C-alpha cells in the first residue's frame, strides 16, 4: 500500500508541475485510491461508468474524476452530475448527450476530443475531419467546454511508431489552439510511453500500472 504513495510521489516529481498526472485506478479497490488520496493527490481516472460512479459515491467529494474510456450515450446521465473531465469525446451523438445532461445538471462539462492516432483496429477516436466538425459545432453546445485533445498510441515496441503518433496529436492540437483560446490540454502518455509523450508536448498523462501495480484483468 505504501508502495502506491511512493510510486505516485516519484512519478509526480519526475514529470514536474507542468504535467498533470491522472492516476488511473480502474479495477483497483477503494483502499488503493485512498492511499493515493492521502498524499494530496486529487485526480483519478476510470474507464467504466458504473465503477467510477460507485467509487465517487464512496470517496471524498473533492476528487476530480476523469472519464478516460469509451462512453455509451445512454450512460452519460450517471456521471454528468460529478465528472470533472471527459477525455473520450468520440462522436457528435455523444457530444449532444453530454450537452443535454450537463444542462440538466446546471453544469458545464469539460471535455477532450479523442483523436484516433493508432492504426490498431480496436482504438476508439475520431479522425481529423471529424474532430474539426465537432469543434465547429461547439457553440451550439452550451453545456460543454472542449479544452483539448486525447490520444492513445499503438501498443507496439517500436518507439518510432509511437513517436510519430504523438506528433500527429500535437500538430492537430497546435493547429486548433491557434484560433481557440480554450484549448489547453493535451492528454497523451501512459505507463509505457509517458516519457515520449512529454517530449512531444503532453501536459496530462494517464498513469495506471506504474502507480497501482499491474492489473489482473
Ligand atoms: C488503462 C488506461 C490507461 C493507463 O494505463 P497504464 O498502462 O496502466 O498506465 C491510460 N489511458 C487509458 C485510456 C486507459 O484505458
Amino acid at each position: 500500500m505504501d508502495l502506491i504513495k511512493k510510486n505516485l510521489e516519484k512519478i509526480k516529481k519526475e514529470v514536474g508541475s507542468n504535467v498533470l498526472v491522472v492516476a488511473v485506478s480502474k479495477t483497483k479497490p477503494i483502499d488503493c485510491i485512498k492511499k493515493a488520496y492521502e498524499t494530496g493527490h486529487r485526480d483519478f481516472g476510470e474507464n467504466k461508468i458504473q465503477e467510477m460512479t460507485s467509487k465517487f459515491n464512496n470517496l471524498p467529494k473533492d476528487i476530480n474524476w476523469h472519464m478516460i474510456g469509451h462512453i455509451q450515450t445512454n450512460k452519460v446521465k450517471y456521471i454528468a452530475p460529478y465528472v470533472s473531465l471527459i477525455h473520450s469525446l468520440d462522436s457528435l451523438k455523444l457530444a449532444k448527450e453530454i450537452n443535454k445532461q450537463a444542462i440538466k445538471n446546471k453544469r458545464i462539462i469539460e471535455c477532450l476530443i479523442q483523436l484516433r492516432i493508432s492504426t490498431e483496429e480496436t482504438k476508439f477516436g475520431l479522425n481529423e475531419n471529424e474532430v474539426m466538425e465537432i469543434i465547429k459545432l461547439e457553440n451550439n453546445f452550451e453545456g460543454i467546454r472542449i479544452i483539448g485533445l486525447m490520444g492513445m498510441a499503438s501498443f507496439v515496441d517500436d518507439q518510432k511508431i509511437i513517436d510519430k503518433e504523438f506528433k500527429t496529436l500535437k500538430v492537430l492540437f497546435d493547429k486548433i489552439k491557434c484560433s481557440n483560446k480554450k484549448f489547453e490540454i493535451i492528454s497523451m502518455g501512459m505507463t509505457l510511453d509517458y516519457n515520449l509523450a512529454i517530449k512531444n508536448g503532453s501536459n496530462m498523462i494517464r498513469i495506471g500500472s506504474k502507480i497501482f501495480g499491474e492489473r489482473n484483468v
Side-chain angles (χ1 to χ4, degrees):
M1 281 296 183
D2 284 334
L3 196 55
I4 292 174
K5 293 186 179 181
K6 241 167 86 184
N7 291 342
L8 179 57
E9 279 168 349
K10 186 166 167 236
I11 193 167
K12 283 170 86 168
K13 200 167 156 202
E14 181 192 340
V15 303
S17 55
N18 294 329
V19 177
L20 184 83
V21 176
V22 176
V24 176
S25 46
K26 63 189 186 194
T27 78
K28 298 294 175 182
I30 296 269
D31 282 347
C32 291
I33 301 177
K34 279 185 183 154
K35 286 292 159 194
Y37 181 90
E38 281 166 13
T39 69
H41 197 75
R42 293 295 178 267
D43 289 273
F44 293 89
E46 292 282 339
N47 68 342
K48 298 218 161 67
I49 302 273
Q50 207 174 357
E51 184 177 347
M52 186 162 93
T53 302
S54 147
K55 286 170 173 171
F56 164 78
N57 284 328
N58 289 291
L59 283 160
K61 293 297 170 283
D62 62 345
I63 287 178
N64 305 317
W65 290 102
H66 296 248
M67 175 41 66
I68 61 172
H70 179 66
I71 305 172
Q72 281 174 276
T73 314
N74 62 339
K75 292 187 178 164
V76 174
K77 57 178 180 283
Y78 300 114
I79 59 168
Y82 71 89
V83 67
S84 173
L85 180 63
I86 292 175
H87 292 230
S88 44
L89 175 51
D90 62 3
S91 74
L92 192 54
K93 186 173 161 225
L94 181 60
K96 286 179 184 162
E97 180 63 15
I98 296 169
N99 181 57
K100 184 177 141 193
Q101 296 299 333
I103 291 168
K104 241 188 206 169
N105 285 278
K106 300 192 168 58
R107 296 188 68 207
I108 293 173
I109 296 178
E110 296 194 322
C111 298
L112 309 177
I113 302 178
Q114 184 172 353
L115 179 71
R116 191 155 172 272
I117 52 174
S118 164
T119 49
E120 285 167 9
E121 280 293 315
T122 55
K123 296 283 191 308
F124 290 102
L126 300 177
N127 66 34
E128 180 172 337
N129 289 336
E130 293 164 332
V131 170
M132 297 316 288
E133 184 78 4
I134 294 185
I135 300 273
K136 258 187 238 145
L137 293 170
E138 196 197 345
N139 287 340
N140 302 339
F141 302 134
E142 55 189 280
I144 295 186
R145 187 181 292 128
I146 298 171
I147 59 168
L149 298 178
M150 185 271 258
M152 266 173 105
S154 300
F155 288 104
V156 292
D157 289 330
D158 189 345
Q159 298 293 300
K160 275 194 233 107
I161 292 176
I162 299 171
D163 188 60
K164 189 165 159 250
E165 293 174 350
F166 284 153
K167 283 189 165 64
T168 303
L169 187 61
K170 180 63 160 57
V171 166
L172 181 61
F173 176 79
D174 287 342
K175 182 175 148 188
I176 299 169
K177 192 180 164 68
C178 273
S179 56
N180 190 330
K181 285 201 196 76
K182 295 190 302 283
F183 240 61
E184 51 186 20
I185 306 291
I186 176 161
S187 166
M188 60 181 188
M190 307 169 38
T191 291
L192 291 176
D193 57 20
Y194 70 93
N195 281 312
L196 196 49
I198 292 168
K199 267 191 208 128
N200 279 296
S202 169
N203 57 20
M204 193 176 277
I205 57 176
R206 310 175 309 272
I207 306 293
S209 13
K210 203 179 167 82
I211 296 169
F212 296 106
E214 295 289 321
R215 288 177 297 273
N216 298 319
V217 281

